[in-house]
Amino acid sequence: MKALVTCKRVLDPYIKARINADGSAVNLDNVKMAMNPFDEIAVEEALRLKEAGSVTEVVAVSIGGPKSEETLRQALAMGADRAILVESDQDIEPLAVAKVLKAVCDEEQPGLVLMGKQAIDGDSNQAGQMLAGMLNWAQGTFISEIKIDGETANVTREIDGGLEKLSLKLPAVVTADLRLNEPRYASLPNIMKAKKKPLDKKPLADMGIDTAKRIEIVGLSEPAERQAGVMVDSVAALVEKLKTEAKVI
Amino acid sequence: MTSAIQQLLANLPPAIQVTDPDVLATYLTDFRHKYTGCTAAVLKPRTTDEVVNIVRACNAHNVPLVPQGGNTGYCAGATPDDSGDQIVISLERLNQIRHFDPDNRSITVEAGMVLSDIQDHCENHGLLCPLALGSQQSCQIGGNISTNAGGVNVVRYGMSREMVLGLEVVLADGSVLDTLSPLRKDNTGYAVDQLFIGAEGSLGIITAATLKLQSLPKQRFTGFLAVASRQCLPKLLSDIQAETGDLVSSFEYMAADAIQHLLNKKPEHRLPVSSGHRHYVLIELGTSASKLPLTDLAEAALAEQIEANIVLDAAVASNEAQRAAFWAIRESIPEGEVLNGASVKHDVAVSVSNLPSFIDQAAGIVTSTGPGCRLSIYGHVGDGNVHFNVLCPEGSNEIDHTWIEVNLSPHIYELAAKMHGTFSAEHGIGQVKLALNAQYGNAKKQALMRDIKRALDPNNLMNPGKMLPLG
C-alpha cells in the first residue's frame, strides 16, 4: 500500500510571528521556515507504518513555491521514498488544497493519506476533512494511534473528554494530532541521500483546478501586550492593590 | 550586628536595605551550595550615586563590601565570609538600558541587567549580543564582566573582555571612573578599565558597561555529531572553520559518559544520533547573510568528514524545536551531574592542540588512582577549555568529594600546569581557587596584582579575601 503524506512549509513555530506594518499578513521575509509540525508527525507515522510492513511506499507532497522543495527534502531525509511539489506562488485556501490533493490522489492511488490535523499558520483544520469528502473515503481526524489490519485502519482519536476508537475502511484520510509520535531527526547521511531521491514538480496552473480566493483577510492584529508586573513591598500593600486596583478581593 | 554596620545602615536610606533573614538567605549561599556567609544587610542601590554613597559610607565606617550580581558564579566570589562584618551590595536594581546605538553597534547597560534581557533587546533591533552561557536567564552583566565570563560562543566572539568598550566603575574611595566610551579606537594610555574585567569586584564596583554588538544571524545550522575519537577534534573544528569561512559559533564536545549521566536520570532527553559512540559534538554555525547557502556549506563540510570516518553519525536540526532539544542536552549536563550526586569540577584550559592529550592523560589518572570514579567530560574545543568533572563512584562510602579533591585534583592540575594550561579557564578564582592560585598561578603576576590592589583599594574594602588571599 502506498501512503501519501502532506508537508506544508510554514513559519517555524518557535519564531515569534510579526505582522507586516500594514496589518495585511504575517511577515515571512527572511524568517526561519519549517515543516508544519503536525505534518512532520504525519511523515514520521507513515515511515513507522512502512517499517512495520503495512506500507510499501511513502510519497511526500507539498503545495508551494520553490522553497517548499526544502521541506520535501526534509521528508525525504527522514525516509520518504519520493516527493511531489505542486508549484504555486500563492498561498491557497483549504478548499483549493483539498482539490489539488484530490487530483494527486486520483493519479497516485494511495491506500492512505496522512496529513497534519492542521497547519500552524492558518489553523484552518479543514483540508483533510474536505479531501475525504471529495474522495468519498473514510476519515479519521486528530488521531493519536493508528494500526493497519488488512483492509482496515484502526485509529484512536483525541476528542474532548476522552479517546474515540474507530475502524476505517481503506483507503482513508487520517490527520495526525500531537501525541501520535515524536518525529525522528534527519541524519546527515540521509540528508545527502535525499538530495538524489526523485522529486517531481507539477505547476498548479497546469492542473486545471479553480483555486480562486474565496476568503478575504480583512486585517491581522497582535495579541494585547501584557502589562509589566510590579513588586510590592509588603503583604499589606499586595492586599491593598488586589482590593483597589485589581478589584479581585 | 557590629556597631560599625549599625552606624553604616543608619546613614543609608532604608529603601535600599534588605534585612529580612529569609530574603537575606538567598544572597548568602553560593550557586553551588558550598559556601554560606553571613551579613547584616543586603544593599540594593538604584543608581550609581547610591552606590557611591554606599562605598563612601563603607569607607567612613570601615565596612568591607561584597558585590553580587545574579549569584550564579562557580567560585563563591560573591558570597560574604561568615564573620558578619561584611555587607552585600546587590546590583539587581541597576537594570536599565542607558543608551542603544545600532549604527555604532553598541549598547550601554547598567550592571544589574539580566544577560538574556540584553540579548532580547538587541535581537528585537536586529543585532546580536554574543555573550551566551547556561545561566543567561539569571546572571547579570555586571557579574559577567567582573568574572570575564566565557560561555558557548567564545570560539567566534571571544570572552566578555572582548565585548566591553567601556565601563563605569565606582572605585574604592567612592569616586567614579567613567570610561563608558562608544569608541573602538582610543589609544590614550593604560587600558585601565580592562583591570576591572575579571577582577571579581576586588578593585571597584562595575555599575554600567558599553558593549560591542554584532550582526544578528539570520540563518543557523545546528548539528549533533558522533565523532570517531578525541584526537581528531582539533582538526575537525579547524577543517570545518576553513570549509565554511569561519562561521562556527559553537563547537561543544561531550564525552558519552557526560550525556549518559543525564539520560539515566532524565530519559525525556533524546540522543539525536545513534547511541554507542564515545564522543559527541554539538556544532553550530550562523551567518547574518540571508543569501549565503549556509546549510549547503555546512552539509558539504560534514559530508567530507563522514566520508573520512571522522564523523560517524550526524543529526541536523531541521527546526528551532530540534535545535532547542540539541542544546538542552548540552546545557543539562551540569544538571545530570547534580542528579548523580554532583561533581568535583576542574575548569581546565590547555592549547587546542593539547586538549585531546590532556583529557586522555587526566582520564588515565582518574581511572588508575580513583577506582570507580565516574567522569563527566565536556567543553568548548575551540577555546581549549574542558570541564573535566569527576563524580564519586556509585554508592561509594569511601570516596567522597573531599577524597577526590585531595587525591585526584592535584594530579589533574599538575598535568594542566605541565602542559602550560590553566586551572581556571572561565570560572575565576573567588574563594574556591585561592589555594590553587597560590600553587599554580604565576608568582610575578600575583605580586603585580597585589600592588594594583593596594594602589586602588588601600583599605581593602572591595570584596576582600576573593581573588587574592587576605593579608
Side-chain angles (χ1 to χ4, degrees):
Chain A
M1 178 174 72
K2 187 193 288 182
L4 193 78
V5 282
T6 56
C7 304
K8 186 175 185 185
R9 182 178 169 84
V10 298
L11 179 71
D12 189 307
Y14 255 55
I15 306 281
K16 188 181 177 334
R18 291 178 203 280
I19 295 171
N20 284 340
D22 64 1
S24 63
V26 172
N27 179 17
L28 298 180
D29 294 338
N30 282 330
V31 293
K32 185 156 171 55
M33 305 289 282
M35 189 191 298
N36 174 34
F38 293 111
D39 288 342
E40 206 180 347
I41 293 169
V43 173
E44 175 65 32
E45 199 61 23
L47 297 173
R48 290 186 189 188
L49 289 173
K50 189 181 170 192
E51 284 155 6
S54 306
V55 161
T56 50
E57 187 186 24
V58 176
V59 182
V61 60
S62 189
I63 307 167
K67 291 267 186 186
S68 292
E69 184 173 335
E70 287 173 18
T71 310
L72 288 172
R73 291 286 172 205
Q74 187 196 332
L76 294 171
M78 288 171 74
D81 298 292
R82 61 189 175 88
I84 300 165
L85 173 59
V86 178
E87 296 169 303
S88 163
D89 49 10
Q90 50 163 330
D91 191 20
I92 61 173
E93 291 168 7
L95 178 61
V97 170
K99 287 181 192 170
V100 171
L101 292 176
K102 159 104 174 27
V104 175
C105 286
D106 287 345
E107 198 175 315
E108 291 286 336
Q109 297 290 320
L112 181 69
V113 178
L114 270 156
M115 303 172 64
K117 68 171 181 178
Q118 67 201 64
I120 55 100
D121 49 3
D123 270 350
S124 303
N125 185 352
Q126 295 171 5
Q129 293 87 332
M130 289 195 216
L131 175 63
M134 286 175 191
L135 289 164
N136 199 24
W137 288 3
Q139 63 172 299
T141 50
F142 312 104
I143 66 151
S144 58
E145 198 181 0
I146 179 168
K147 287 218 168 63
I148 306 291
D149 183 11
E151 296 299 302
T152 307
N154 294 310
V155 301
T156 304
R157 302 182 65 221
E158 298 205 332
I159 58 171
D160 284 349
L163 300 174
E164 182 181 61
K165 289 178 186 288
L166 294 180
S167 273
L168 308 178
K169 187 166 155 284
L170 293 171
V173 177
V174 295
T175 70
D177 212 327
L178 193 63
R179 276 168 287 275
L180 180 58
N181 60 50
E182 196 179 356
R184 68 194 63 190
Y185 296 112
S187 79
L188 191 73
N190 288 339
I191 289 172
M192 301 318 269
K193 277 184 216 154
K195 291 183 197 290
K196 299 193 179 101
K197 286 186 180 176
L199 188 151
D200 293 335
K201 295 179 187 172
K202 299 176 195 285
L204 175 62
D206 295 355
M207 295 174 80
I209 294 170
D210 173 16
T211 59
K213 287 218 176 290
R214 289 151 195 266
I215 301 165
E216 186 195 347
I217 292 179
V218 183
L220 296 173
S221 58
E222 303 257 2
E225 210 163 300
R226 269 182 57 189
Q227 288 198 331
V230 285
M231 294 295 285
V232 291
D233 291 332
S234 63
V235 174
L238 175 67
V239 171
E240 174 69 17
K241 279 195 183 292
L242 289 174
K243 270 189 183 153
T244 56
E245 287 181 27
K247 297 193 167 74
V248 291
I249 53 173
Chain B
M1 203 184 296
T2 64
S3 64
I5 289 182
Q6 269 171 351
Q7 288 165 23
L8 170 82
L9 296 181
N11 284 328
L12 292 170
I16 64 167
Q17 304 180 22
V18 176
T19 50
D20 178 339
D22 293 335
V23 181
L24 284 189
T26 60
Y27 295 85
L28 295 177
T29 296
D30 78 303
F31 188 63
R32 302 194 61 208
H33 299 277
K34 301 236 171 187
Y35 290 77
T36 297
C38 181
T39 193
V42 173
L43 304 178
K44 298 187 180 180
R46 296 157 295 194
T47 62
T48 302
D49 283 345
E50 286 185 343
V51 178
V52 167
N53 291 340
I54 291 169
V55 173
R56 283 187 183 149
C58 284
N59 265 295
H61 301 286
N62 204 30
V63 174
L65 270 170
V66 180
Q68 192 173 104
N71 195 17
T72 59
Y74 274 159
C75 291
T79 308
D81 67 15
D82 55 12
S83 67
D85 297 338
Q86 301 182 334
I87 284 283
V88 173
I89 174 166
S90 165
L91 282 301
E92 67 194 61
R93 287 184 182 165
L94 266 162
N95 61 359
Q96 300 299 307
I97 295 171
R98 291 214 191 142
H99 186 58
F100 178 61
D101 186 346
D103 288 339
N104 190 58
R105 299 197 155 204
S106 61
I107 189 168
T108 300
V109 293
E110 293 180 336
M113 208 167 159
V114 171
L115 178 58
S116 64
D117 290 341
I118 303 174
Q119 293 168 339
D120 290 347
H121 180 86
C122 296
E123 202 171 320
N124 288 336
H125 293 82
L127 287 167
L128 174 76
C129 169
L131 185 62
L133 54 160
S135 57
Q136 61 199 23
Q137 308 285 345
S138 49
C139 64
Q140 295 168 15
I141 191 67
N144 294 144
I145 296 171
S146 289
T147 56
N148 188 25
V152 293
N153 284 343
V154 176
V155 61
R156 176 99 171 253
Y157 301 106
M159 307 274 282
S160 297
R161 187 183 298 286
E162 286 162 80
M163 300 169 201
V164 174
L165 294 176
L167 291 176
E168 179 186 84
V169 186
V170 176
L171 302 175
D173 62 359
S175 62
V176 177
L177 170 73
D178 180 350
T179 65
L180 287 176
S181 148
L183 304 179
R184 283 166 173 75
K185 290 185 167 180
D186 184 18
N187 284 347
T188 54
Y190 302 148
V192 284
D193 41 352
Q194 288 285 327
L195 277 177
F196 300 92
I197 305 174
E200 299 180 356
S202 63
L203 300 177
I205 300 172
I206 295 173
T207 47
T210 303
L211 306 175
K212 191 162 72 177
L213 305 177
Q214 307 284 344
S215 298
L216 185 67
K218 292 206 184 70
Q219 313 179 51
R220 283 200 176 94
F221 176 94
T222 310
F224 203 101
L225 319 178
V227 178
S229 72
R230 261 196 295 261
Q231 266 59 38
C232 64
L233 290 170
K235 187 165 184 304
L236 174 63
L237 170 59
S238 169
D239 285 353
I240 295 174
Q241 288 282 41
E243 286 291 315
T244 59
D246 293 329
L247 294 180
V248 177
S249 52
S250 300
F251 193 91
E252 299 285 297
Y253 169 67
M254 295 162 276
D257 287 354
I259 296 178
Q260 201 53 52
H261 297 318
L262 173 68
L263 297 184
N264 287 348
K265 301 287 178 183
K266 292 255 165 178
E268 62 267 32
H269 290 282
R270 187 162 55 123
L271 191 64
V273 291
S274 48
S275 57
H277 303 286
R278 290 178 57 207
H279 309 287
Y280 298 94
V281 166
L282 195 166
I283 183 172
E284 188 158 282
L285 297 85
T287 176
S288 60
S290 52
K291 294 194 171 63
L292 194 83
L294 176 70
T295 304
D296 292 347
L297 278 175
E299 284 176 359
L302 285 173
E304 273 179 37
Q305 301 294 338
I306 290 179
E307 199 86 350
N309 286 321
I310 302 292
V311 172
L312 304 177
D313 194 4
V316 178
S318 59
N319 53 42
E320 287 294 308
Q322 293 188 353
R323 172 177 178 246
F326 288 9
W327 274 106
I329 293 177
R330 164 63 187 82
E331 283 171 353
S332 302
I333 286 178
E335 186 194 355
E337 292 175 3
V338 171
L339 294 172
N340 282 277
S343 66
V344 175
K345 292 183 193 293
H346 306 91
D347 171 33
V348 170
V350 292
S351 74
V352 176
S353 37
N354 274 338
L355 188 69
S357 146
F358 168 80
I359 298 174
D360 284 351
Q361 292 183 49
I365 292 169
V366 173
T367 318
S368 60
T369 318
C373 281
R374 295 168 294 164
L375 289 171
S376 176
I377 305 169
Y378 62 100
H380 324 288
V381 173
D383 327 331
N385 180 194
V386 59
H387 297 291
F388 189 93
N389 299 344
V390 185
L391 285 74
C392 303
E394 210 151 13
S396 167
N397 293 323
E398 290 97 61
I399 296 185
D400 59 8
H401 284 173
T402 309
W403 190 95
I404 293 172
E405 280 161 6
V406 171
N407 294 285
L408 297 180
S409 300
H411 298 294
I412 293 167
Y413 291 130
E414 207 64 60
L415 177 66
K418 217 168 68 191
M419 296 174 98
H420 308 289
T422 173
F423 59 91
S424 190
E426 61 177 2
H427 292 172
I429 302 290
Q431 37 188 322
V432 174
K433 295 192 180 173
L434 283 173
L436 287 173
N437 210 12
Q439 198 176 350
Y440 300 107
N442 179 320
K444 183 67 190 169
K445 176 178 161 182
Q446 285 178 63
L448 277 174
M449 281 168 60
R450 278 191 293 275
D451 290 346
I452 293 167
K453 170 85 172 164
R454 268 193 294 272
L456 290 182
D457 181 22
N459 299 331
N460 201 19
L461 295 181
M462 308 309 271
N463 211 7
K466 314 287 167 50
M467 189 66 113
L468 287 165
L470 283 171

